[in-house]
Amino acid sequence: FLTADGLTLFFSTSRASGQGSVDLCLSRRASIDEPFQPVEILPRVVNSFAADDSPCLSTDGRQLVFVSNRPDSEGDFDLYLIRRADLGSKWSSPENLNVPVNSKDREDSPAFSHDGLTLFFTSNRPDGHGANDIWSVHRDSLDAPFGAPENLGPIVNSNHDETHFRPTSDGRSAILSRREPNGKTSLWLALRKTTTGPFTSLRPLPLNTEAEVTMIAPGITQDGRTLYFHSQQPGGEGDADLWLIRRLPR
């Protein structure tokens, strides 16, 4: 996840320098035209000896939600929240979002709406349309608890796997990952007419390829002009690398 100013990138890593099997980390840059600097692992108060993964940051940079299978989880991977008073402060200890947000099933790939009042996430809990569906929870203020989860419905969800739902800053569109039965994962665009109404259409992004190339975990900048994603494709440095694509001016 990229901060609103485009200068800090939060992600997860399994590199040997971490604290657990997967850790939360960040990389900074001085300006949007400069390269990102070496990775910094988030401190021990945030990371654990378990797997800590899939960070998402609120627009104001003061709240971060991630998933973990640490011992106090409700079952599989749960959603956890950390806070800080301002951008220069230290992060709080993680708090489990608990039931009804979390379940005995797996919760994954969270993402805030632009105003921070809605949290989207993936879960394989019952009453969905497939193995993994996109769900959302809402709260009345940034300090209020989240309510009961709602499934985003059959336009977004299917009998395939839908994950990594990433709303744009205007709230009227989102990019997500869909895994097909052949194992290929590609990126899709969901659209709706209002910022609070249901999503009414879904279509694949043109950057998807015909080859068996995995494209997952998208993240889009505040101005909507740069898309980041994980992919296993020729030209990478290892297994699943971070890639970006920019929208050209019209």
Side-chain angles (χ1 to χ4, degrees):
F1 259 82
L2 198 64
T3 53
D5 61 11
L7 301 183
T8 305
L9 183 67
F10 286 85
F11 58 102
S12 56
T13 183
S14 58
R15 62 191 69 195
S17 58
Q19 318 231 14
S21 58
V22 180
D23 286 301
L24 305 178
C25 61
L26 62 84
S27 179
R28 310 176 197 266
R29 60 183 175 181
S31 75
I32 59 173
D33 297 318
E34 296 185 46
F36 284 100
Q37 297 304 301
V39 170
E40 303 172 36
I41 306 293
L42 267 62
R44 180 74 175 86
V45 68
V46 175
N47 285 308
S48 68
F49 293 112
D52 303 301
D53 202 357
S54 299
C56 77
L57 194 70
S58 59
T59 304
D60 65 6
R62 296 170 60 185
Q63 296 188 21
L64 185 148
V65 173
F66 66 97
V67 303
S68 180
N69 62 348
R70 55 187 65 193
D72 67 338
S73 66
E74 298 289 342
D76 197 338
F77 278 78
D78 276 5
L79 298 168
Y80 288 80
L81 172 68
I82 56 175
R83 307 172 188 263
R84 57 184 176 182
D86 54 62
L87 300 187
S89 299
K90 294 182 178 180
W91 290 106
S92 67
S93 297
E95 56 183 273
N96 190 308
L97 291 184
N98 295 323
V99 175
V101 178
N102 288 314
S103 70
K104 65 180 180 61
D105 299 290
R106 179 169 183 148
E107 282 70 52
D108 207 342
S109 58
F112 283 108
S113 60
H114 185 70
D115 61 10
L117 300 181
T118 301
L119 183 70
F120 301 92
F121 62 95
T122 297
S123 181
N124 61 348
R125 63 182 62 200
D127 301 322
H129 295 270
N132 282 292
D133 275 10
I134 308 299
W135 299 73
S136 68
V137 288
H138 185 77
R139 58 185 176 182
D140 294 328
S141 72
L142 296 180
D143 296 319
F146 287 103
E150 297 183 4
N151 189 286
L152 261 61
I155 297 296
V156 171
N157 294 310
S158 70
N159 60 351
H160 304 310
D161 282 331
E162 283 75 38
T163 63
H164 300 94
F165 188 88
R166 302 294 186 250
T168 55
S169 59
D170 67 3
R172 297 176 62 183
S173 60
I175 297 173
L176 65 137
S177 303
R178 170 174 283 181
R179 184 177 183 182
E180 305 291 349
N182 63 4
K184 178 184 176 181
T185 303
S186 53
L187 302 179
W188 293 65
L189 176 67
L191 299 170
R192 60 181 175 181
K193 296 179 180 179
T194 67
T195 59
T196 58
F199 285 89
T200 55
S201 67
L202 184 72
R203 60 176 184 245
L205 289 183
L207 61 88
N208 293 319
T209 67
E210 295 296 328
E212 299 301 313
V213 173
T214 293
M215 305 178 79
I216 196 170
I220 192 164
T221 55
Q222 292 291 311
D223 63 8
R225 298 186 63 181
T226 304
L227 174 68
Y228 292 84
F229 57 95
H230 282 83
S231 184
Q232 294 170 302
Q233 58 180 285
E237 299 292 338
D239 187 7
D241 285 349
L242 284 171
W243 297 72
L244 68 83
I245 186 170
R246 293 186 175 91
R247 179 179 291 169
L248 297 176
R250 292 183 177 179

